[in-house]
Amino acid sequence: MEVILQTLPQVLIDGLALGAIYAVVALGYTMVYGILELINFAHGEVFMTGAFVGTTVLLVMESTGTTAGLPGWAAYLLILVTAMLFTGVLGVGIERVAYRPLRKAPKLISLISAIGVSFVLQDLVRFIAELTTGNYIVSGTTLFDKSLTVPASSAVSWLSDASLKTNTLVIIGVAIVLMIGLDLFVNRTKWGVAMRAVAQDRETAALMSINVNKVIVLTFFIGSALGGATGVLFAQQYGTIDPFIGFILGLKAFTAAVLGGIGNIRGAMFGGLAIGVLEMFASANLGLLTSGSFGAEYKDVFTFLILIFVLILKPEGLFGKALKEKV
């Protein structure tokens, strides 16, 4: 127990950074589900595309010497905005081509279409990466790569000091800005009201002169842009990316959305942070808790077992509302 407590500061820092990424990606899942009741399994690949777009732009800037004349934050902002615009437009294109023609089809058909789009994006990015670099695994540079020491032991003697990458602060800061911005947009603007109206009852919203198609397009643009931004944050934090990073991460982000109550934006934020911290806790301490029987590679099992336990007790998610079946 003493060792577990000593590593707590490092677990919290790493867990919050990872959880912030899960939370922002989960927003894309929960927004689309809230509007269309569609699980957009291609969202993980939109996240991956954002990582590749941001890394490519950064590599091009470095090869042309553009980054030398720019402060780090300006270069970061540039690749972030570029990836958000690209993936936002990509999300709109996916909705127009793969989902809108199936809007009145059974939900299973749309789900299969989403899985198909996911595989197409994976292979398309892999093809382009191999064609241009000779390898589908791409490594980029990190703009904020300094390490800081958090002196937790000076505050509480039984805690160990923690290491903190400056990029972790950027991740948490950008994620907070994006989440607060989305929350304000949905709850304080006319378009946000329209989105909530369409989410509650699409037909009635259309009768009240709300352009449902425009609202759906806007939802896909914002959700996909958030996914692309998170891809850039991920690439900057971990350095190496490949076309398959979106699958597992997207699955966990979707789980975060379900844990918080899918369709609930604040629930998705909480779910992402909770899963990130739980995963890092399991990664650091599972060996100690099981006397070496299970190592860090079982962290996903630990996290999903807790998720199953929570959902058995509260199937609608922690922030969701139980729906009564209509007779």
Side-chain angles (χ1 to χ4, degrees):
M1 180 59 76
E2 186 179 344
V3 177
I4 293 175
L5 291 175
Q6 284 176 349
T7 59
L8 204 54
Q10 192 65 58
V11 166
L12 283 175
I13 289 171
D14 294 341
L16 286 176
L18 186 62
I21 290 175
Y22 288 156
V24 180
V25 177
L27 291 175
Y29 282 105
T30 212
M31 285 178 72
V32 170
Y33 185 85
I35 296 288
L36 290 178
E37 294 186 355
L38 165 70
I39 300 171
N40 181 17
F41 273 118
H43 190 62
E45 273 56 50
V46 172
F47 154 83
M48 174 272 295
T49 306
F52 270 87
V53 170
T55 303
T56 303
V57 172
L58 183 59
L59 290 174
V60 170
M61 288 169 63
E62 285 176 342
S63 66
T64 57
T66 309
T67 49
L70 283 176
W73 65 265
Y76 211 123
L77 185 64
L78 188 60
I79 61 173
L80 204 61
V81 171
T82 305
M84 289 179 76
L85 289 175
F86 187 93
T87 51
V89 173
L90 175 66
V92 171
I94 291 171
E95 189 277 331
R96 185 68 186 86
V97 174
Y99 300 152
R100 190 178 299 187
L102 302 174
R103 203 175 286 171
K104 294 181 181 177
K107 299 296 180 190
L108 183 61
I109 305 298
S110 302
L111 185 65
I112 292 170
S113 180
I115 294 172
V117 172
S118 170
F119 283 118
V120 168
L121 284 177
Q122 271 185 16
D123 285 337
L124 187 61
V125 171
R126 177 176 178 158
F127 174 75
I128 295 172
E130 284 187 328
L131 191 67
T132 53
T133 67
N135 193 345
Y136 65 86
I137 300 173
V138 176
S139 296
T141 54
T142 303
L143 290 167
F144 294 93
D145 57 353
K146 292 182 180 176
S147 289
L148 307 173
T149 300
V150 179
S153 60
S154 61
V156 181
S157 60
W158 43 267
L159 293 178
S160 297
D161 292 344
S163 174
L164 173 66
K165 284 175 69 175
T166 47
N167 193 64
T168 302
L169 294 174
V170 175
I171 287 180
I172 295 173
V174 171
I176 288 173
V177 169
L178 292 176
M179 288 189 283
I180 291 176
L182 180 64
D183 195 69
L184 290 175
F185 178 82
V186 170
N187 291 298
R188 303 284 178 86
T189 67
K190 188 186 291 186
W191 279 106
V193 172
M195 288 169 70
R196 284 186 284 144
V198 173
Q200 286 183 2
D201 192 325
R202 204 185 309 169
E203 285 74 21
T204 304
L207 291 173
M208 298 177 72
S209 303
I210 293 176
N211 190 324
V212 174
N213 281 332
K214 279 188 179 179
V215 171
I216 292 173
V217 166
L218 182 65
T219 302
F220 270 87
F221 182 86
I222 294 174
S224 300
L226 291 175
T230 322
V232 173
L233 298 178
F234 180 92
Q236 282 292 301
Q237 182 74 353
Y238 299 105
T240 301
I241 54 174
D242 64 62
F244 309 108
I245 56 171
F247 179 72
I248 293 294
L249 193 140
L251 199 59
K252 290 179 183 176
F254 172 68
T255 305
V258 174
L259 178 64
I262 192 153
N264 186 309
I265 289 176
R266 293 177 183 178
M269 298 177 193
F270 178 84
L273 292 172
I275 286 186
V277 172
L278 281 174
E279 187 176 321
M280 283 297 117
F281 178 82
S283 179
N285 300 307
L286 207 52
L288 288 170
L289 292 173
T290 61
S291 302
S293 300
F294 297 99
E297 66 271 21
Y298 289 94
K299 63 183 187 301
D300 295 342
V301 177
F302 175 82
T303 307
F304 280 92
L305 281 176
I306 290 180
L307 170 75
I308 292 170
F309 179 71
V310 170
L311 292 182
I312 287 174
L313 296 177
K314 198 169 169 55
E316 65 275 15
L318 295 174
F319 288 75
K321 293 179 181 177
L323 296 177
K324 294 180 181 178
E325 190 173 349
K326 295 178 181 177
V327 178

